[in-house]
Amino acid sequence: MRPVALVQRWLFRLGRDVELPIILSQRRIFIVPSAAGLLYAAVLLVMVVGAINYNLSLGHALIFLLAGLGLVGMVHTFNNLFGLRLLPTPCAAVFAGETARFPLLVDNPRQLSRRGLEFAFAGQPVAILDLAPGTSATVAVPFVAARRGRLDPGRITLSTRYPLGLFRAWSYPHPALSCLVYPRPLRTPLPAASAGQPSDSRHGASGQEDFAGLRARQVSDPIRHIAWRAVARRTNDQPLLVKQFAGGASEELWLDWSMTPADADPELRLSILAGWLQIAEERHLPYGLSLPGNHFPPALGDAQRSRCLRALALFGTDDAAGVD
């Protein structure tokens, strides 16, 4: 754990939040003068010295008025966070190098507007949210995913300087957030379609002798596969249909760890497999994935894509044993 994180944990006595929703009570909110607030106080001090030196009654009145305004601003800054309820929601998986966005449901139960709410992880971009009285909204807190695996973004800093900017109030909610980060895809030519599988001579070389049905045409589908009879009966708002074939091992593509360069870095080999997987999905080619200790039979679709990418993301980690 980093020294800064250790100091914060010791200073604020805050651990991971288990009970949900997270309610920002008085003990969870901290407030200090901002740089503008310190300058404001210094100006008031100079004005006090001048008013005393020249015995200016109106000067004293103006100073007390401005000081009272600053104190009222401090109370409003604290109330801008007090009573908020936070509820984390699942985060969608991303590829390494992309920005993961952790959705956080923010509920404002009080009849008070909450403005200028800033959400950020340590060293990450800031997300800003305004809430009307008695409403709730979801804010997506960004985190740049630098490496594959299971991403734990850590503690969120929720802060505000509203309304005057003289004080900064903040809290450190720490919900159980997690995101799966896939390897960065490296697009290289696909291996042979029959790799790793024996060919079946009964289906011929094309592997397209068994008609399996119709589906909507994709950009990559050849024109010769268009079902012209079905197209003649379609209406203007219906997509073009193409014939879908099943059977033939030559249509099944195996993405095997052994097909990647043996002397390459493991992360590079995983990136190559991820790139092959993306290309196979784009071309609608059934594919299987073979990793050391893990094999997935050939299939196609969102479930296959998620299953294989998850295996690539967790390969070599402590969570790899939980991959189906």
Side-chain angles (χ1 to χ4, degrees), residues 174-234:
H174 194 182
L177 297 175
S178 178
C179 176
L180 195 61
V181 182
Y182 302 142
R184 187 197 304 266
L186 181 61
R187 301 179 73 91
T188 59
L190 284 175
S194 59
Q197 289 288 74
S199 61
D200 190 345
S201 60
R202 293 175 301 171
H203 294 284
S206 65
Q208 296 180 347
E209 279 68 20
D210 296 334
F211 177 71
L214 301 176
R215 61 172 174 80
R217 182 176 183 266
Q218 306 293 330
V219 177
S220 58
D221 291 326
I223 297 179
R224 67 177 181 274
H225 288 174
I226 296 178
W228 295 109
R229 292 184 180 180
V231 170
R233 297 192 298 267
R234 76 184 184 101

Side-chain angles (χ1 to χ4, degrees), residues 120-184:
F121 296 107
Q124 298 296 321
V126 178
I128 301 177
L129 177 68
D130 293 333
L131 276 178
T135 62
S136 61
T138 299
V139 58
V141 188
F143 193 103
V144 179
R147 62 186 65 182
R148 70 169 180 92
R150 181 74 64 180
L151 173 62
D152 181 358
R155 194 184 306 277
I156 300 175
T157 300
L158 168 55
S159 62
T160 182
R161 289 179 171 83
Y162 179 83
L164 299 179
L166 302 180
F167 291 87
R168 178 180 182 266
W170 78 95
S171 182
Y172 283 137
H174 194 182
L177 297 175
S178 178
C179 176
L180 195 61
V181 182
Y182 302 142
R184 187 197 304 266

Side-chain angles (χ1 to χ4, degrees), residues 48-60:
V48 167
V49 173
I52 293 175
N53 186 44
Y54 293 101
N55 195 22
L56 299 175
S57 300
L58 291 179
H60 286 87

